[in-house]
Each structure stands twice: as C-alpha cells, then as structure tokens.
Amino acid sequence: MSIVGHLINGELVADNNRTQDVFNPATGVAEKQVALASKQTVEQAIAAAQAAFPEWRDTPVIKRARVMFKFKELLEQNVDQIAKLIGQEHGKISHDAAGEIQRGIENVEFACGAPELLKGEHSRNVGPNIDSWSEFQPLGVVAGITPFNFPAMVPMWMFPLAIVCGNCFVLKPSERDPSSTLFIAQLLKEAGLPDGVMNVVNGDKEAVDVLLSDQRIKAVSFVGSTPIAEYIYATANANGKRCQALGGAKNHAIVMPDADMDNAVNQLLGAAFGSSGERCMALSVAVAVGDKAADTLVEKMSTAMQGLSVGAYDTPSNDFGPVITCQHKDKVVGYINSAEQQGANIVVDGREPNVEGYDNGFFVGATLIDSVTPEMESYKAEIFGPVLQVVRVKTMDEAMKLINDHEYGNGTCIFTRDGEAARYFSDHIQVGMVGINVPLPVPVAYHSFGGWKRSLFGDLHAYGPDGVRFYTKRKTITQRWPSSGVREGVSFSFPS
Amino acid sequence: MSIVGHLINGELVADNNRTQDVFNPATGVAEKQVALASKQTVEQAIAAAQAAFPEWRDTPVIKRARVMFKFKELLEQNVDQIAKLIGQEHGKISHDAAGEIQRGIENVEFACGAPELLKGEHSRNVGPNIDSWSEFQPLGVVAGITPFNFPAMVPMWMFPLAIVCGNCFVLKPSERDPSSTLFIAQLLKEAGLPDGVMNVVNGDKEAVDVLLSDQRIKAVSFVGSTPIAEYIYATANANGKRCQALGGAKNHAIVMPDADMDNAVNQLLGAAFGSSGERCMALSVAVAVGDKAADTLVEKMSTAMQGLSVGAYDTPSNDFGPVITCQHKDKVVGYINSAEQQGANIVVDGREPNVEGYDNGFFVGATLIDSVTPEMESYKAEIFGPVLQVVRVKTMDEAMKLINDHEYGNGTCIFTRDGEAARYFSDHIQVGMVGINVPLPVPVAYHSFGGWKRSLFGDLHAYGPDGVRFYTKRKTITQRWPSSGVREGVSFSFPS
Amino acid sequence: MSIVGHLINGELVADNNRTQDVFNPATGVAEKQVALASKQTVEQAIAAAQAAFPEWRDTPVIKRARVMFKFKELLEQNVDQIAKLIGQEHGKISHDAAGEIQRGIENVEFACGAPELLKGEHSRNVGPNIDSWSEFQPLGVVAGITPFNFPAMVPMWMFPLAIVCGNCFVLKPSERDPSSTLFIAQLLKEAGLPDGVMNVVNGDKEAVDVLLSDQRIKAVSFVGSTPIAEYIYATANANGKRCQALGGAKNHAIVMPDADMDNAVNQLLGAAFGSSGERCMALSVAVAVGDKAADTLVEKMSTAMQGLSVGAYDTPSNDFGPVITCQHKDKVVGYINSAEQQGANIVVDGREPNVEGYDNGFFVGATLIDSVTPEMESYKAEIFGPVLQVVRVKTMDEAMKLINDHEYGNGTCIFTRDGEAARYFSDHIQVGMVGINVPLPVPVAYHSFGGWKRSLFGDLHAYGPDGVRFYTKRKTITQRWPSSGVREGVSFSFPS
Amino acid sequence: MSIVGHLINGELVADNNRTQDVFNPATGVAEKQVALASKQTVEQAIAAAQAAFPEWRDTPVIKRARVMFKFKELLEQNVDQIAKLIGQEHGKISHDAAGEIQRGIENVEFACGAPELLKGEHSRNVGPNIDSWSEFQPLGVVAGITPFNFPAMVPMWMFPLAIVCGNCFVLKPSERDPSSTLFIAQLLKEAGLPDGVMNVVNGDKEAVDVLLSDQRIKAVSFVGSTPIAEYIYATANANGKRCQALGGAKNHAIVMPDADMDNAVNQLLGAAFGSSGERCMALSVAVAVGDKAADTLVEKMSTAMQGLSVGAYDTPSNDFGPVITCQHKDKVVGYINSAEQQGANIVVDGREPNVEGYDNGFFVGATLIDSVTPEMESYKAEIFGPVLQVVRVKTMDEAMKLINDHEYGNGTCIFTRDGEAARYFSDHIQVGMVGINVPLPVPVAYHSFGGWKRSLFGDLHAYGPDGVRFYTKRKTITQRWPSSGVREGVSFSFPS
C-alpha cells in the first residue's frame, strides 16, 4: 500500500515514524496510508525553511510574485488531477473539488499582487528634514495547520500569501486526505520556488506540538474546530508566536416574508448540502420569519431536494458525496435522531440513503428538519453534515437575537427584497461574514475571511489584506542626516 | 491626605477597598494615596462602559471625532496643570512633562482623522451584480493598562483611538502616579463624551485580573515590563480577548567612525538621560565601531555630561529628575556597582548626586560606563535609569550582531553619514523602530509604535494605522439582489 | 459706503481700480461696494504667495495641520457673524447659512488629517538593494475661483486642503457676496497662518484672466456655470496649469411606485427649495414612475409646500430667502412662464410671492410644475430657483434614460424601498453623485465631490481624497547605494 | 511589399487610405509599408470599441484580470518574436528589446491586481443610518497615442490598465515601427479578450485628430515630444476629454566629488548610450561638481566607451543600434557639430561610426562632449541620440539650479555616498523621477511614471496607481433606507 510522505527542502521524504490509514469514503476502504511525522522530521522541515529564509527574504518581491504567476498556471493545468485526488480521499464530487481548487487559485492570483500589497507608508518631513517610513518585513518561518474539508483551498488561503511576503512555510495538512495538498506543494518547485521555502509535513498531534513550541516558528495559522482552535491559539501565543485560529460555525439564514422564495430555495440548496455540509460556511439553519414564509420554504425546499443525488466523486451528475469517516456519519445521524426525539419534524430524511454499489460508503442523504428550537442538541452543535434545520420565529428581531446569542459568528445571510431590512441586518448582526441574498458569503480573495465570537481567535482575518498584515511585521524607520560637508562643499578634497 | 479615586460613568468615585501611598519622588514623601479598586468596582466600570456602548457605536464617526477635536483644545489649555501633576508624582521636569503631553496630544490629533481611518473597502461586481465590502466595526468594551513612566502619553496612545473607533474604554493607569491620568480623563467629559464611554479604575493586580478575565472586555492594550507583558498576553488570549502587550527594551546606538560626533553626542545626551532614562525608548547602549570612535565618543560625552543638572520637576533649568521609587534607585545603583565589579570603567559616576534640599529624593546622576561587555549584568538588563553604557566593537557587523542577539528589539539607531551603511542597517537589523541619526526613533502618531522580539507580543503595533485595526473588527458583507418586480415594472399596483 | 477690499500678504488692501455694487437681495438695496482688482493687484497677491511658498512648503505637515485645527475653532466661534454676512449679501436664511458654514468646517476637519493623507508609498527591494518611494509634494501657488451661492463653503472645499498640502493660495470669490469669504480668510491669520500663504482678491474677468495666464499659478479650481467652466478649463490647460472646473447641473429624483411617499416629499421639500434652489445639487426634477406615484407625489407635495415661508435672512422661521439678483429673479420667473406656455401645469405658483416689508426684494416663491416634458425650455436649463418640476414616465428604464441623456451628470436620487432597484440605478446611472432615498447626495468631506459629463471638467473631483491628489504632484525616488567602505570597514581612518 | 494594417473588432483589416514606408534603420531599406488610417477607419475602430463596452464593463473585474494573466503568459512565450519585430523596424539590439518587453510585461502584471486596485472607499454611518461609498467605474472608450522609441513598452503602459479597469481601447502606435505593437495586440485575442475591446489603428495626424475630436473617446494618453504633447493636451481638453500627455526630457546626473566613480561610469554608460539614447529617460547630461570629479569622470568614461559596439539588432554582442531615421541621424550629428562650434570639447566622437556591412544604416557612435555650457544649442535641446555631455560646476547648488532652470523635469540622478546630499537633492529638485545612484529612475510598474514642468501635461502620472485613477471615474453613492414595514413586522401579509 502506498504511503503518503512529506515534502522537505524540495524532496519527498518518508520517516520511520507511525502511519495511519487514508480511506476512500465512498467505498469505505483504506487504499493508502499517510506517514505521521516524528518530532525530528518536523524539525528537519523547520530547519530547511530556516536555511532558505535569508535568501528568499532578500529576493525582490516582484520575483517572488512571479513564482506565484507560474504556480497559477500549473494549478490550472492540473485541476483534474488535483480534483481526482480530493475525490478519492475526501469524497467531494469532481465539480465541487474543481470549485474548491478555483477558490484556492484566486488566493494565488491575489498573492501575485504582492508588490502593491507590501507597500509601506512614507512621510516626508515628520519634523524639519526628518523623514519616516514603514516597511512590512517577513516574519521568518511560519506554519499552517489545515482541516480535511478543503485540502486544496484552505492551505492556499495561507502559504501563497505567506511565501510571497518573503516567509518560508511549514504546512501540516489534514491526515485524512493528504494527497492533493502534497501534490499542490510539489507544483511550487516546478514554478521555480527555491527548495526549503515550502515544506509539508503530514502528521498528528505530535507534529502539531512541535510547530506550536519550536522557537523558530514565528506564526501559526489554523483552521479547524473551535476547541482545537482555542488550544492552538493559547499555546502558540504562550510560546511567543503570533497566531490566527479559525474555529467552528453555525450559519443561519433569515428568510423574510418578502423574500423571493424560489431564489432563496435555490440558493439554500447548494449552501446547505453542497460538499455534504462539511464546510465551515455551510448554511445549516434557516430561520423563517412568520409561519407563512416557513410553510412556503419547507414545501418548496422539500420538493427541490427530491432532485438531489448523493454518490461517488467521479460521477459528475452527483450533487454531493459521502462524509469523511464512518464515525462522522454516525455522529450526523445521531444529531438527526436527537432532533426527532426532541420533537422536531424530519421532513426529508437522509439517514438511510441508497447509493447503489457503495454499500460501505459513509453516505448521509440530504435532510430537512422543521420546527427546530434553540434548546435542541441538533441546533446547538455544528453538525457538519447535509442537514438543513428550519427554525420558526415571529419577527426579524427574534431571528437576529437567535443568531447573536449563538456562540459562533462565522457566516450568516438574510433573504429579503427590502433595502432597510438588509441594512439593519448587516449593521447589527454579530457575525463576521454577512450575505444579503447570498447564503455562502465567503469573501472573495481580495477581501479577508473571518468570523466573530468563538469562530475566530486573533485580530486579523485570513487571506486578503489582513493576511498580508498577519504574515509581515512592521518596521518603522526615522531618518535625519546631519549637516554635510559633501553637499555644502567644504570638503571637496575628499576622498583623498 | 487626599485619595485619588476612580472615574466611572462620568463620576469620580472611591470605593472602600485598599489604598496605597503615592510619593513625590523628589522629596521622598508620600503626599497622597490612591484607591486600589476592588473586583466589584472594576465590574461597575465595565458595566458602565457596556451600557454606553450601543449608543456610542451608532454615533456617526464624525461626531465621535468632534469630541476628540474638543479634547485636543482642552488638553492644550491644561498643559501646565497636567505637567504639574506629572511632576509631583513622577518627578519629570516640567518641560519634559510638557513634551510627553504634546506627544499624547498628537495621538488625539490622529484620532480626529477617524472618518478617513475607518473607511472599508468596496468592490463592485465581485461576481455578476454581486457587490462586497468591508466595515471596521468597534469591538465593544476594551481596556488599557499603562505604566508609570508616561502617565499622560501612553494612555493617550490607546483610549483616543479606541473611543473614536466606537469602543468604550476602561483604563487602569499606574498606581505610582495616577493623578495626571485621572485629570485627563475628566477633560473628556468636558469635551462632550457621553458618560460611561471612558472610565478609569486605579488599582493593582486585583483590578488587572478582572480586566483580563471579564467576558465583557474584548481587547486589552498593555505597556510595561516584558514579564508582565507575557502574563497579560497569555492570560488575555486564553480568555478569548485580543491583546497587544508591549514590554521591555534595551536600545543600542551604533556610532560609526564617519559619524558627525558632535551631533551624535548631542543627540545621545537627551536620549540616554532624558526622563532619567525611564523610557522604553531610552538609548542606553552606545556601540562604538573602532577604538578611535569610542575614544572620541567617551571624551566628548563625558565633557557634555558636565552640563547636565538633576533635580526637582519645578525648576525648568533641570535636565532630569529623580527615579520613580527608592527601590528603583537602589536597583539602578546596583547595576552600576555590578558593572564596576565586572570590570567596566565608570567614566562619569552618578551614584551619589548632590541635589541640594532634596536629601530624601530618589535621585541618580547621569552615569557613563565605558568598556561594557555583553556578559555583564548591566548589559543584559533593562536598567531604566540615567546610565549610558559604551560597548566597543571592531566592525559594524559585530555591532549589528550584538543588537540582533539581544532578547529585546524595541528601538535602535545608527550614527553615520553614509547612505549605504544606513540602508544596510535599517534593512537587516532585527528591531521594530529604527533611527538613522535619530536616537529616539519613536514613530510619529500617524505611524505605529512597536518593537520586535520580546519587546512586543501581538501582531499589531500600538497607535497609528495598526491601532485602528486593533480596535476594530472586520465585517465583510456580500450582497446580491434577486430580480425585482419593482424595477421591472410588473408590480405597479404594489403596495396596495 | 463701505468698500470690500482684498487680503494680500496678511493685510487688507484696496486698490484704485473699479468697484461694483453689492446688494442686499431681500431689500434690493446696494449697501456696500466691492473693489474689482486690477491686473497689478492680482499680481501682488501672486507675488506674496510665491514669496511665502518656500518656507511654508518646508514646514512639517503636522504644523500646517495645526493651523487648520485652530482655524476650525475660530470658525465655530464665529458662525453667527459669518452667517450674518452671508445673509446680508446672499439672502440665505441664518440656519441655512449656518449649515453651509458647517459643511465648510467639515472640509477643514478633513484637512486636519493631512499627515495621514499625504503619505507616499514605499517599496523595499524593487530590485536587489534598491528601494523606491513616492512623495506628494505641493504645487506652489494655486488659485480658486468660486461662485456666489456658497460664499463660505465652496472656498473651503479648496483652500484648507490646498494650504495644508503645502501650497499658497489666491482666492477670487464671487463679487456678489464677498464679505463672508473675506472674513473667513482673515481668521486664518489669527489661526497662525504665515502672511502670504492665503490671499483673497475680489474682482471680475480682469482678475480671473490674470489667474489663468500668470505662469506662477500652477493649478486652478473653479466652481460655477458650465460655459464658464469650459472656458476656465481650456484656458488654464492651454497655459500649462492643472485645472478642475465644476459646472452646472440638473438633478433628477426618480420616485418609484414603492417609495415611502411621505418620506420622499419631506426630503424633496428641502432639496428643491432650500437656499431658493440656488445650489448645484438642488433637486429640481422629480421623475415619477407611473401616474399613481405621480398623482400622490403632486398632491402631497403641494400640501406640504403650503407650510413653506420665504423671507429675509434674519427671521429664522423662514425656509428660504430671495434669489441673488433682480435679473436672476426675472430669469426664474421667465422659465416658469415658458413652462406654462409650453403646456405644463403650474400646480403651486411662486411667481408673485408676498413678502411683507420687502417689496423690492428679489423673491420667488416655491413653485411646483407638473407634466413637464423633456422638450420644454424649463426642463433643459438649470433654473437655479425654487422650482420643482415633475416629469411623468411609465417605467424606471424610461426615467433612467431621461437622466442619462441629459448633458449634466452632477447629482441624482432614487426613492424606493427595493434593494434591486436601488442597486441597478446606482450601478448604471451616468451621474457622479447618487442618492438612494437621499435627495442631496453631496459626499461628506472625507469623500470627494464631482459630477460626470458636462458637470465637471478634469479627472479629479473636488475636496476629499481627490482634492489631496489635485493639490500635490507625485515625485518618485529610486535609491541604490554603492558598496561602502564605511560599512565594510576598509576605511576606518576616515575622516581624518 | 507587405502592408501593416489595423486591428479592429478582433480582425486585421486594411483600408484603401494612404501608406508610408517602414524602414529597417540598420540597412536603410524600406522593407514594409504601413497603412495610414482614414477618418472612416478610425471611426470604425471607435464604433467597435463602443459596441464592446457595455458587456466588458459589466464583466467582473477578476474575469477581466484573468485575460491579463493569460496575456502575460503569451507575451513571455513570444519575447523573441516581438524583439525581432522591434529590431527590424526600430533597430534596437535584441537584448535591449527583450528588456523593453519585460518592462511592458511588468505593467501587465500590475494590471492583474485590478481587483485590489479598483476598490472604492466605504463609510458606514456618515450620518445616522446613512452609508456612503465610492466606486471607480470605467470611462468608456479611451485612446492611446504612442511613440516609436518603445513600440512594445509604452503601449503597455496604457492599454492593459485601461482595459482591466473596464474600458475599451483604440491605440494609434508610431507609424515608424508598427509591427511589434500590432503583434502584441493580437495576443490579447488569444488571451481571451472579447473582440472590440482592443483596437489598433496605424496612421498619422489624420487618425490622431479623429481620436482627439470624436465625442465617443473619453480619454487620451499620449507619449511623445513636448510640442505635440501640448497640442494633444489642449485639443483633447478643449473637446471635453481627460488627457495625460507626456513630452520631452533632458535628464541630468550630478556627479559629486565623493561618488563611487567606477560605479557612476558603469551606470552612466548604459543610461546615456543604451537604445542609442532614444529614451525619454536617457541620461544625457553629467554635471560634475568640481574639476577633479569632472576630470576623473571624463577620463574613466572615455576609456569605458572604447568597449562599446554599435551595430545591427540581431548581433547580441552589440550594445546599441542605429537611430530611427536618416533625418534623425543628421539632426543628432548636427547637435554634435554645433557643440564643437560653440566651444565644447568632443572627447569621444561618434559622428562617423564604422559599422561593417551596414553602410546605409542610420548609425551614430557613442559620443562624449566635455565642457558643455547651458548656452549651447546642444545643451538646450533633447538630442535623442547616443551623446553624453559633461557640464562642469563648482557646487552642488549650482548643479541643482541648472536642473531646476531647465524647461523639462522628467528624470534626474545624483551620484554620491552621502546621505544628506542625497536627501537634500531628492527633496528640492524640481523633477518628477529622481535617482540616487540610479541613473534611469524609471518607476517600477507598481509606482507611476511622470515628469514635472513641461515633461508632462496633466495631473495624473502614467501607469501604476495614478494610471488606475486616470482610467476610471469616481462615483459616490449615499444611501439611506426609510423605515421599513418589512423589518418592523407591521406588514407580514405582504406581498399578497
């Protein structure tokens, strides 16, 4: 069985540490293994990055950017191959994987603009003949720790920008679906990146803890669940690093009575069930204002859901695939069961999907639950499965209170035609990413991604302008020149 | 004896908690006491701030800015009074205190530009008929914890910007010299700030720990020593707050052989001994490159130091005053002793200054120590007293290595006439604030203040553009409107 | 009779050139005269400005900004006096004049942020060890030529920003109402502005032509009618100056069938009749979509207009005052007559207002004309009087076509509740300043003011960020230092 | 003989208008002809651009940027072919042509960052519940008119940025060397640009005058000589267009006595003679401060010049090629003659270069003239040939006065090691692009290009951030929503 290894100093390497199975979630079969890096292996990666730093940092930014221009070309040429690797290990349907890769490429495109993004501020005459300016210098070696659900995109939220800013990078991707990430990293070498600037170590907590404690690592970016995010954030900070840690979510859409209901249903369909709901921006709760809106929504949604098909990644007509593991399937089904037991109404039931030829796959069908209330377990938790819950409220204020009271504040959306309702919502909702008739309000790559409350720890958001600031440190220079014989002509004899 | 209390919800209050002496360091006499806030008192302040937040946040930014315009006027009208309060409790000479206040006012001037500073980024057509923009919204209630050495300026690095961004503030100033800070805070009310937006609690660790743990506090800015900064940073972060914590420093000036030596000595005089060296930007180590430069420097410096006079705050001809406490005086003298014992050469000895009429004052005279080496205790520590140490090296690279190896990276300076030396230095030195022939390279208020390495914990610097980012959270809105009967004219009968 | 003179080099001066009457438009009596500067006088002003430039340019920007901080204080202290001067010569009611002054002050507030606004862009390592940065340096002497309708505000769109950027200024205000402008300029001296930096010359075409041709004038800002704007723009450009020239307007509001009609009427009332409609942003055409909307609008508007009162400036209960001259009154009445003759319906007729005690005043009452069509004279021209015309169309597209086909493109507005209609409108309308339920969409001082099409000649808008760019020229410096004996230690003996 | 035609609406077309010879300047033979567009042909191009505009403008900016990403790839793949076309018609040596193309590509790289560059400014709550933001919308159809000396680079200063901003473009390149420009434009179609967005018309004044007068053209960018620039600027402005027109230059380098003389000579060699001195940034005057510096400079320079070789484009060991036309060769030689006659010293004489096998080529050899004075014809004019003149002065102030008194202010440079001299120079010199030890201080593509005085007419510089502003118009939207039944829940029955 093939073993997925590490990329250190430009070379694929394996160490003699532990390994772990990598499953194809559609078949339920472990077709590969992934190496779990030892402390020593991680330290080798860090050392390689550290060694590459001085020269990379001094490479003019336009040359660093040109590596990203080439990297974009290579990514575009390899979309199918990357999508296949994602499909095999994550289960995502090929068109969905291609979409993920495209979003990743957009971050590379943004990184190509580094010369503009890294400009400092220059002030002439802050005092008489005194000038002052700022430079945004790279940090050194920085690390990324990324989740299984976007093995291509989330790493590309991080390393292109970090690297183009002049840093060297050590990435620890998810051990569930490591192959696409590793493949992508290898393209960087082909794009002209010097060895050692980008390194990938596969692994688990052993590897993570080295990244969190080693003094050579200057910054850590993390995306994953909230409890882990909190651990990462506290540990990295206590070790003197800067850190941004993105955690969980529970994204609500308010459906107003004046909404264009067909449009809302259409939008919600992809936002709730796409990628089996395994997205931190998945729209998992629809809050309908007024029973009439709720009834219409539930009726139209259940009709529309009949057209959805769940299955393996390589059948493009499928809408979404399996969830990531057997355990996770059980957890999702458990939440549906608990909702049922706590009195909610299972309108469309995906607990026993029939996926022909994939009896052992980790499939859950699209599920719609009506009359969910905030006290239910299924409401409180981030289910991370293809489950859309409907909560019924009487007023928009009630809907907003629900959202503002939730511990998470990642994404949210309102469906309405009304300018005032939209503006009041976007102004006052305690959520970092807000959609107006846009159920997955993921900021484009030239803005920044980040939730509020317990969805993000740190003060700077991921990628975009905040990403640039995160991966650089400010240096402010103040300059005054004393009176000069050279200019004033008193020392023409010099130099003798 | 008068007791300095707290400012909560626009009112001066005292609680029945403990108190502590406030000394006049020139006389050594405790002339006042300061209240040390209980947990309950701090929570009252937080509650007042929390209550004031919703309305203040919704106040248009230009109106918030106008409070700062008025505040600037009031500060300028009260410079003498504030300087006197600083002098009485801190010991700083009146002209030096006036300078500190002026630097504080500059931060208020910067805050007046808030409408420009808070602009978000707007993108039309991020997709077909989809727009996206960012808003920088206030955090809520934020806290500042500030040191004794700049009781006026350092708080004004924080609260003007935090408040003008729409936050409410709880400030815990140093309990050593609380009166000027409290006085300044009261001017805000006169400037039109609504009650509760700005609050001051005097106190010690009891108060600090409430600020670090209370869930209503969203961010903490701290300036002080590195060990405390680390504690503050780790604790605040572990409690889910954002935090920036500025710590200690050991600022070196490289004196190159081509430097304009008279200019260098002139500059160093103020930078080393001003405010008794009790500044985190004090220039405490001169690294002379080549013995000739060292000899010239020591000779000219010791001559120049003869003109310095140490004494009480209210004699304007004095150059600097006492250090803050008796204990601190002993500590400073102890470092000089240790240097002497470890083989350094005490060229000018300030251990027994003669300040007539102030026998019990905490005075240390200006001290120059030559031939200091990196192993000495006096080199390693931040002395925070009027002591300039000279280290002799052979090359500029050796000088830079010394600086880069030090645990702190706050400020540094090079004295040279040579463009290339200056540029190489500013590019490669591992320090956040760099001076070229400027020994105190404190960034002006419209840039940002921050050291590197163990001089600052956090990713955003203090005040200036980084300060704005620190005191706001990014919200990104993505908007699409569904097809509209109103525009397309199909529903003219509406609304009936 | 008193003669309003010039302000040159800090002194009020009169020359022996021609003079012209200044009327009180409420009484119709010429109570003052204004000096009309000769070529020689204008050249004296330019020379004074030229002489003041080198020192003012080298004054650190924060010190220049502090003059503006003080100027703001003085303006606020003198609002009543300035408003009175405006009222006496322009006729504007005191509350309206106070509003104008406030908008002017907002430009001064923006100018106070100059240190931030003048930052250049710094790039480290544009090539190996090569840095590059931009500076925005002042132009030298610049001129402003301003109209009668905002004698306080429009000059303050220009000179505060020009001056704070380091330029010296020569202002030629309207000769109709020169006193408030001259008074304001004098406050600058009190605020600490060095003599010669700000100069005012009153005059007519003789003065204007000197400003357009003198080689020492580097830039001209103009606000007035379109034919004059075109002349100014072509002439200034042909003489090698940069120029921005703002001309006329014809601002339409679309009233959609879903609009909140009471709100729309309320808003339109002030936008159409405030300041007698003598504003380049006056809302003079309401385009109602559908007859039902039109009927409702006309009915509610005519009712609301009954509450309006026209009269002299010093009765605060008046809503608006006379127009500027007898000739202008005749012109406005002429347009109403022509509309009537061409078939429009005069719903409310202001041609013969009864203003007791002011029989000779230049008054026109609020006038509402329904069923206006694009062919009518009154539609094509900028009436600049208290006249609101209603055009009836069947669809929103028809309404937008009307606006897009008009030669002017200054301001426009839509009244609707519908998000999609608003967004389609703001995206596609060919107008520079767009309101959504805001009938006077004058950008705030920290944005920029400018129309499209024949409403503005030039590429940069007035005030705000564009104003800063207009009043500065970009200098780009690229710097590399050759290998240095000083740093590399080969020439330690230097300097001998 | 082949005829170089036009590119209109995606098709290569020829019209039946006049033609003109295109010479190979190395052989002196006209090997091709170029079509000179008639008025009708130009109007076809404008019409094609106008037709393509609505859809292109509405294409999301990231999609427009992706055309530029692809265009960059294609340019890089075709460097040799483009360089060959340049060499054949312009005479530039292949490595020099490749350098030109590279600088052009850098502008395409900058254009790829359009999503970031086009962001507007968003302000929440400019008043209570009122928001305001700016958008930078494209102008429509814009034109470029470009010179012979950079047939690839200068057009790429313009059209990539104009197009990525959403405009459609009509380019009129130089009729002397049209083939490389046309080839490049064709690559855009291959890169995915819709037909009509980019059009090329070859021609002369007939074509230019259409571009300057046709009302559909909204902006004109021009690079050429100052007299033509003035004509273009005045005419375009008088026709209501925005215009930036870059003219001539006379770029001086000050050589200070402390300069690294070997470095200075090395740098000057390329800056003076590269591309036969036919660059608007060519360094054509060296101002030596002090006779010692002058003597050293002249001696070292004349030695270095012996290594230069002039010849045909396709021999890579050549340093530079012929000048553009026979007439231009005569003009350059005439200036050398006049200098000789007016008393200057021809140190190295290139009037009769021996280029074997190219007897009829338009060659001038590298020429060094010492002891030039400001009164000489050769000093006053822009020679645009491989001629370096040395002026001797006694002080740096004298050198700076020389530069500041010249009518042109494009580029300049100082050679020194002294920080103070460099800073004084860059601060006070009246030139738009300043080098410190950099003789060709052409700003990188992410800054902007522009001279001062009579070297540029307009307020915005070419390419970079100013280019973005030039190719867009600002729209400011102010938005308030009236109280809403939808949000407030009073109209839940709606819509029925």
Side-chain angles (χ1 to χ4, degrees), chain B residues 234-318:
Chain B
T235 310
N237 281 326
N239 287 326
K241 307 181 193 317
R242 60 174 71 184
C243 182
Q244 55 182 190
L246 283 68
K250 188 77 177 185
N251 306 311
H252 300 64
I254 298 182
V255 181
M256 293 294 285
D258 76 328
D260 176 332
M261 209 58 82
D262 290 322
N263 175 59
V265 165
N266 247 334
Q267 299 286 334
L268 284 171
L269 214 58
F273 306 118
S275 206
S276 311
E278 292 176 320
R279 293 168 173 161
C280 66
M281 287 295 274
L283 205 306
S284 55
V285 182
V287 187
V289 177
D291 276 330
K292 183 162 176 188
D295 293 344
T296 309
L297 176 70
V298 170
E299 184 197 328
K300 284 179 183 277
M301 179 60 71
S302 53
T303 304
M305 286 168 68
Q306 291 170 9
L308 291 177
S309 102
V310 58
Y313 81 91
D314 47 4
T315 302
S317 62
N318 284 336

Side-chain angles (χ1 to χ4, degrees), chain D residues 45-85:
Chain D
I46 297 172
Q50 184 84 343
F53 178 62
E55 191 171 331
W56 184 242
R57 162 218 197 269
D58 282 343
T59 303
V61 57
I62 187 67
K63 296 209 169 170
R64 298 195 307 245
R66 281 185 192 132
V67 173
M68 293 298 149
F69 275 101
K70 188 68 187 166
F71 183 45
K72 169 183 149 79
E73 286 182 48
L74 295 172
L75 286 166
E76 288 172 338
Q77 290 166 15
N78 287 281
V79 166
D80 291 346
Q81 173 61 11
I82 301 167
K84 187 176 162 192
L85 290 170

Side-chain angles (χ1 to χ4, degrees), chain A residues 57-58 121-127 130 132-138 230 233-234 237-238 240-243 260 263 267 416-419 422 425-439 441-444 446-452 457-461 465-466 469-470 472-485, chain B residues 57-58 121-127 130 132-138 230 233-234 237-238 240-243 260 263 267 416-419 422 425-439 441-444 446-452 457-461 465-466 469-470 472-485:
Chain A
R57 163 218 196 268
D58 283 343
E121 300 178 320
H122 184 276
S123 296
R124 189 175 68 92
N125 276 358
V126 298
I130 304 175
S132 192
W133 69 93
S134 53
E135 300 181 356
F136 291 91
Q137 298 199 350
E230 282 188 299
Y233 189 66
N237 281 327
K241 306 181 193 321
R242 61 174 70 183
C243 183
D260 175 331
N263 175 60
Q267 299 287 334
T416 184
R417 298 171 185 272
D418 187 77
F425 177 73
S426 70
D427 189 18
H428 289 96
I429 202 75
Q430 293 298 309
V431 171
M433 296 176 283
V434 179
I436 297 174
N437 298 306
V438 173
V442 179
V444 289
Y446 44 104
H447 286 254
S448 293
F449 183 104
W452 284 8
F457 302 90
D459 37 21
L460 293 167
H461 288 195
D466 269 13
R469 188 66 192 87
F470 181 77
T472 57
K473 49 187 174 180
R474 182 187 285 267
K475 183 183 273 187
T476 305
I477 294 110
T478 307
Q479 178 174 280
R480 169 173 48 194
W481 295 103
S483 172
S484 152
Chain B
R57 165 222 195 268
D58 281 343
E121 300 178 321
H122 184 275
S123 297
R124 188 174 68 92
N125 275 359
V126 297
I130 305 174
S132 191
W133 68 93
S134 52
E135 300 181 355
F136 292 91
Q137 297 198 350
E230 282 187 298
Y233 189 66
N237 281 326
K241 307 181 193 317
R242 60 174 71 184
C243 182
D260 176 332
N263 175 59
Q267 299 286 334
T416 184
R417 297 171 186 273
D418 187 78
F425 176 75
S426 71
D427 189 19
H428 290 94
I429 202 73
Q430 293 299 307
V431 171
M433 296 176 282
V434 179
I436 296 173
N437 300 304
V438 173
V442 180
V444 289
Y446 45 103
H447 285 256
S448 293
F449 183 105
W452 285 8
F457 301 91
D459 37 20
L460 293 168
H461 287 196
D466 269 12
R469 188 67 191 86
F470 182 77
T472 57
K473 51 186 173 181
R474 183 187 286 267
K475 182 182 274 188
T476 305
I477 295 109
T478 306
Q479 178 173 281
R480 171 173 48 193
W481 294 104
S483 172
S484 153

Side-chain angles (χ1 to χ4, degrees), chain C residues 57 123 233 237 267 426-427 429 432 434 436-437 447 452 459 466 469 474-476 478-480, chain D residues 57 123 233 237 267 426-427 429 432 434 436-437 447 452 459 461 466 469 474-476 478-480:
Chain C
R57 164 216 196 271
S123 296
Y233 189 66
N237 281 326
Q267 299 286 334
S426 69
D427 190 19
I429 203 74
V434 179
I436 297 174
N437 299 306
H447 285 256
W452 285 8
D459 37 20
D466 268 13
R469 187 67 191 85
R474 182 187 285 266
K475 182 182 273 189
T476 305
T478 306
Q479 178 174 281
R480 170 173 48 194
Chain D
R57 162 218 197 269
S123 297
Y233 190 66
N237 281 327
Q267 299 286 335
S426 71
D427 190 19
I429 202 73
V434 179
I436 297 174
N437 299 305
H447 286 254
W452 285 7
D459 37 21
H461 286 196
D466 268 13
R469 187 67 191 87
R474 182 187 286 267
K475 182 183 273 187
T476 305
T478 306
Q479 178 173 282
R480 170 173 47 193

